[in-house]
Amino acid sequence: MKKNAIPPAAPYLIIPIGIAAVSTASIFIRFAQNYTSSITIAAFRMGIAALLLLPYTLIKHKNELRTLSRKDFGFALLAGLLLAVHFGTWITSLEYTSVVSSVVLVTTTPLWVSLMAPVFLREKTPGIAVLGMFIALVGGAIVAGSDVCSWLPGGISCDFENGFSGSKNLLGDLLAVIGAISAAIYIMIGRHLRRKISLTPYIFLVFSTSALFLVIAMFITVGVPPIYPSRVYGWLILLALVPQLLGHSIFNWSLKYLPAGYVSINLLGEPIGSSILAYIFLNEMPPAVKIIGAILILAGIGLASFNQISQSENQNQ
């Protein structure tokens, strides 16, 4: 890390606040899902965040936005679409599967980036990352399998009465994985755009376009949302403020002072924080088998990110 950039303790003390902030997302979503659709929640989340960023972006970065080419705006539009798919599928997954399964599986984004980077970014995937992918794959199979199978005294019992794809939990798991893959492609597009545009206008562009796609999807699927109880709007506003703006802003801010690998490893704290909050507020206690699978997934992601930590530290020395 570069010396004298900031007092060394500050970023390390603030990152836990970011982890706590993003961990609240699934709880606010679950509360709101009792009253409204998942697509509506996603549209409000991104729409409120974009509106909050609008004044500052226009005042401070209006000239920078004007310098962007049509091609850059096209990439921003595609990034916004992928972000809309990410939030639309992940938030919907919470209707069908547990918080632990959903959050852990959507956190596999770094693995998908490592898998696709050699093709789209011409970046080599190190052997340790491949090993991490394999461990996470085993963990994913255990998490998914635990949604249709259970350990009994006489052995393993699986319920395939409605077909493998008919399980609600497996549908939720699949949606979470789609959310992770779409986020991975979004990140790769972001790497291209961030070479030309600073953080705030970039976030504003993708948040705005994501909100636009989600609002269109909301009108197509559920129509104009009705008037909700005031507490629902409170949860939607908190969803935009706490995990979206506060949490993600802290991680983006910390990238200026800490190695990217260190920051990415800390993102693995979200499933842990979300699981604790789900136990406290939703009374969700996952079975031991699912916890083992989740640990393997997180260990695989951590192992795959280890090489990135070493590279980032070497670059910042």
Side-chain angles (χ1 to χ4, degrees):
M1 184 172 65
K2 293 180 180 180
K3 296 181 179 180
N4 301 324
I6 195 173
Y12 295 97
L13 291 176
I14 292 176
I15 275 189
I17 299 175
I19 295 172
V22 297
S23 298
T24 63
S26 56
I27 308 303
F28 294 141
I29 290 167
R30 276 290 188 84
F31 287 158
Q33 281 175 334
N34 292 322
Y35 298 89
T36 186
S37 72
S38 296
I39 295 298
T40 302
I41 295 171
F44 270 88
R45 173 176 183 166
M46 300 310 298
I48 293 171
L51 287 174
L52 290 172
L53 286 170
L54 177 61
Y56 179 81
T57 305
L58 292 181
I59 293 171
K60 295 290 185 179
H61 300 278
K62 180 171 61 177
N63 292 333
E64 184 176 357
L65 290 173
R66 287 175 175 173
T67 62
L68 294 178
S69 65
R70 289 185 178 181
K71 185 177 180 180
D72 293 333
F73 275 109
F75 275 116
L77 194 68
L78 179 58
L81 174 61
L82 288 163
L83 194 61
V85 173
H86 165 71
F87 281 115
T89 53
W90 172 61
I91 289 176
T92 303
S93 76
L94 287 164
E95 291 185 32
Y96 300 101
T97 192
S98 67
V99 169
V100 172
S101 293
S102 175
V103 178
V104 168
L105 290 173
V106 83
T107 308
T108 59
T109 293
L111 297 179
W112 297 104
V113 172
S114 296
L115 187 64
M116 292 184 282
V119 178
F120 295 103
L121 299 177
R122 302 184 186 276
E123 295 178 358
K124 185 179 179 181
T125 301
I128 194 170
V130 176
L131 176 61
M133 291 180 202
F134 176 76
I135 293 173
L137 179 64
V138 173
I142 292 174
V143 168
S146 67
D147 285 328
V148 289
C149 300
S150 57
W151 291 91
L152 298 175
I156 299 176
S157 175
C158 299
D159 179 16
F160 297 105
E161 182 178 355
N162 297 319
F164 188 80
S165 62
S167 169
K168 288 180 61 178
N169 288 333
L170 284 176
L171 174 59
D173 295 344
L174 176 61
L175 288 170
V177 171
I178 293 173
I181 295 172
S182 58
I185 303 173
Y186 159 75
I187 287 172
M188 289 188 287
I189 293 174
R191 287 185 185 177
H192 169 77
L193 279 177
R194 286 286 282 120
R195 298 189 188 106
K196 301 180 178 181
I197 183 172
S198 55
L199 180 62
T200 300
Y202 167 71
I203 291 176
F204 171 72
L205 279 176
V206 295
F207 281 14
S208 299
T209 52
S210 175
L212 177 62
F213 285 118
L214 287 168
V215 168
I216 293 172
M218 178 185 70
F219 285 141
I220 292 174
T221 56
V222 298
V224 178
I227 301 298
Y228 301 116
S230 58
R231 59 181 174 276
V232 178
Y233 293 107
W235 292 326
L236 294 174
I237 292 171
L238 286 172
L239 184 61
L241 286 175
V242 180
Q244 190 66 36
L245 289 180
L246 176 62
H248 287 280
S249 294
I250 285 175
F251 288 124
N252 287 316
W253 169 83
S254 64
L255 285 170
K256 183 177 180 180
Y257 309 103
L258 296 172
Y262 178 84
V263 176
S264 66
I265 284 293
N266 275 272
L267 290 172
L268 300 184
E270 179 183 356
I272 299 171
S274 296
S275 300
I276 294 172
L277 292 176
Y279 176 72
I280 295 172
F281 293 102
L282 303 175
N283 199 30
E284 279 193 12
M285 183 61 188
V289 174
K290 182 167 290 190
I291 293 175
I292 292 172
I295 291 173
L296 286 175
I297 292 174
L298 297 179
I301 297 172
L303 190 61
S305 301
F306 180 80
N307 185 72
Q308 184 184 0
I309 292 177
S310 301
Q311 290 179 347
S312 299
E313 289 178 342
N314 290 335
Q315 290 171 359
N316 285 279
Q317 287 178 349

